Amino acid sequence: MDDEVALDAEPDPTPGTVDLAALSQMTGYALRRAQMWLFRDLKARFKAHDISLAQFSVLYVVDINPGLAQARVAEALAIERARLVLMLDRLEERGLLVRSRSKADRRSHALHLTPAGRDLLSTLLDLQAEHEKRITTLLGRDGRADIIRLLAPFQD
Amino acid sequence: MDDEVALDAEPDPTPGTVDLAALSQMTGYALRRAQMWLFRDLKARFKAHDISLAQFSVLYVVDINPGLAQARVAEALAIERARLVLMLDRLEERGLLVRSRSKADRRSHALHLTPAGRDLLSTLLDLQAEHEKRITTLLGRDGRADIIRLLAPFQD
DNA sequence: TATTGTTATACTCTATAACTATA
DNA sequence: TATAGTTATAGAGTATAACAATA
């Protein structure tokens, strides 16, 4: 629009590198960047199986807690239960998981993995182990354990 | 793994608590939950000012690097440049930031905070400091420093 | 009345692709 | 040709609200 340079003079239009200054020292920002790194790595490993990290966590928790109701999965993983409905539709369409009416409480659906779901989960857990190994290589065994321990107060 | 396919028979419909087992020991999951905790805390502090964490990081980086081009901001903060356009529209509408044509390269826009933008950023930085203090209270000064140090290899 | 699963809406964010104006 | 800003679209994800069936 207007070519006029507002405010004050332009001392340094575009430096070679961007100064992030204190931003890198803010815990939340460091956490976000680290999470982006880890998620990118693990997502790439899961890509051939067309499984998101959220889907992986659902398959895992249902496998460990067979017969679990949707609302329990949602609250355990901090996924909105309305969102979970769509996720389960997808997993059920793919034949990885089944919903069945609970006899104890006819409002709720009991969730179970199918044999195909268990097979896929087993593969995903192998890929997750390789991913974790890469993290351990970068941090050392103690460093990785330290992170888990330090983040414990924030696990809700 | 032995599994009598328990699709019809219901061995344990809904236990009292959901077992997350190894999920809590996966680095990425621990990171995600911790980030949710921190973001929830900081977002609540920013809520009265109607500023998202992404907007905060843009205001901060432009303040430190006046005259920065959009593409530089986008790559420094790992925000898609298409997404940044909408974010800057919003910040400009609110009078917190201005785009002006760069004379060096007429394709790019030089970004500057307005006085109102600098005022707001100053307030946000105070809130961020209180947030960081809460983290330090929970982790100890060393614990907080340890996290930043341990996550350094993943800051891209 | 409260909860479970569901549908719906709005907004944010990620990931692309394509277009324009400059370089 | 390549880059900067922009527009557009599709798909996740977040945040709510409301509704029917059931408790």
Side-chain angles (χ1 to χ4, degrees):
Chain A
M1 307 285 165
D2 340 26
D3 239 14
E4 56 176 326
V5 178
L7 300 177
D8 32 44
E10 206 130 324
D12 192 6
T14 300
T17 52
V18 177
D19 184 9
L20 288 181
L23 200 56
S24 316
Q25 300 305 310
M26 296 181 192
T27 315
Y29 186 75
L31 227 48
R32 172 179 175 257
R33 296 302 293 247
Q35 195 193 316
M36 286 179 70
W37 192 101
L38 295 200
F39 277 25
R40 197 184 316 128
D41 182 85
L42 191 53
K43 272 167 72 175
R45 294 175 198 268
F46 286 178
K47 189 169 187 186
H49 302 283
D50 191 26
I51 286 287
S52 72
L53 303 191
Q55 287 175 318
F56 167 64
S57 67
V58 169
L59 291 175
Y60 183 76
V61 113
V62 169
D63 187 55
I64 296 178
N65 305 270
L68 205 57
Q70 295 183 198
R72 287 326 118 238
V73 174
E75 70 188 22
L77 296 176
I79 298 171
E80 283 300 321
R81 72 189 203 282
R83 170 81 197 128
L84 186 62
V85 171
L86 285 305
M87 288 180 59
L88 293 176
D89 287 349
R90 189 76 173 278
L91 294 173
E92 213 171 12
E93 283 165 20
R94 288 180 61 180
L96 301 172
L97 174 151
V98 287
R99 287 185 253 222
S100 53
R101 291 244 165 250
S102 165
K103 293 176 181 176
D105 183 341
R106 290 171 38 75
R107 291 172 302 182
S108 70
H109 290 167
L111 303 178
H112 293 274
L113 294 199
T114 63
R118 275 191 291 273
D119 274 2
L120 178 54
L121 178 60
S122 167
T123 302
L124 298 175
L125 284 169
D126 288 345
L127 294 170
Q128 147 67 22
E130 289 173 24
H131 160 76
E132 209 73 38
K133 194 176 289 180
R134 185 172 176 202
I135 297 170
T136 305
T137 302
L138 281 164
L139 291 180
R141 220 165 303 171
D142 291 349
R144 188 190 154 278
D146 285 346
I147 285 193
I148 303 285
R149 181 179 48 76
L150 286 164
L151 297 182
F154 306 114
Q155 302 301 302
D156 281 351
Chain B
M1 284 211 156
D2 61 321
D3 285 315
E4 280 97 41
V5 183
L7 290 178
D8 340 57
E10 207 126 326
D12 192 5
T14 301
T17 50
V18 177
D19 184 8
L20 288 181
L23 199 56
S24 316
Q25 301 304 310
M26 297 181 192
T27 314
Y29 187 76
L31 227 48
R32 171 180 175 255
R33 296 303 292 246
Q35 195 192 315
M36 287 179 69
W37 193 102
L38 295 199
F39 278 25
R40 196 185 317 128
D41 182 86
L42 191 55
K43 272 167 70 175
R45 295 175 198 268
F46 286 177
K47 188 169 187 186
H49 301 283
D50 191 26
I51 287 286
S52 71
L53 303 192
Q55 287 175 316
F56 167 64
S57 67
V58 169
L59 292 175
Y60 183 77
V61 112
V62 170
D63 187 54
I64 295 179
N65 305 269
L68 206 57
Q70 292 182 201
R72 287 325 121 236
V73 174
E75 70 188 21
L77 297 175
I79 298 170
E80 284 300 321
R81 71 189 204 282
R83 172 79 196 131
L84 185 61
V85 171
L86 285 305
M87 289 180 59
L88 293 176
D89 287 349
R90 190 76 173 278
L91 294 173
E92 214 172 11
E93 282 165 20
R94 288 179 60 180
L96 301 172
L97 173 151
V98 288
R99 287 185 252 220
S100 52
R101 291 242 165 250
S102 164
K103 292 176 180 176
D105 184 341
R106 288 171 40 75
R107 289 173 303 183
S108 72
H109 290 168
L111 303 177
H112 293 274
L113 294 198
T114 62
R118 276 191 291 273
D119 274 3
L120 177 56
L121 178 59
S122 166
T123 302
L124 298 175
L125 284 169
D126 288 346
L127 295 170
Q128 148 66 23
E130 288 174 24
H131 160 76
E132 209 72 38
K133 194 176 287 180
R134 185 171 177 203
I135 296 170
T136 305
T137 300
L138 281 164
L139 290 180
R141 221 164 303 173
D142 292 348
R144 187 190 155 279
D146 286 347
I147 285 194
I148 303 286
R149 181 178 49 75
L150 286 164
L151 297 182
F154 307 114
Q155 301 302 300
D156 278 352

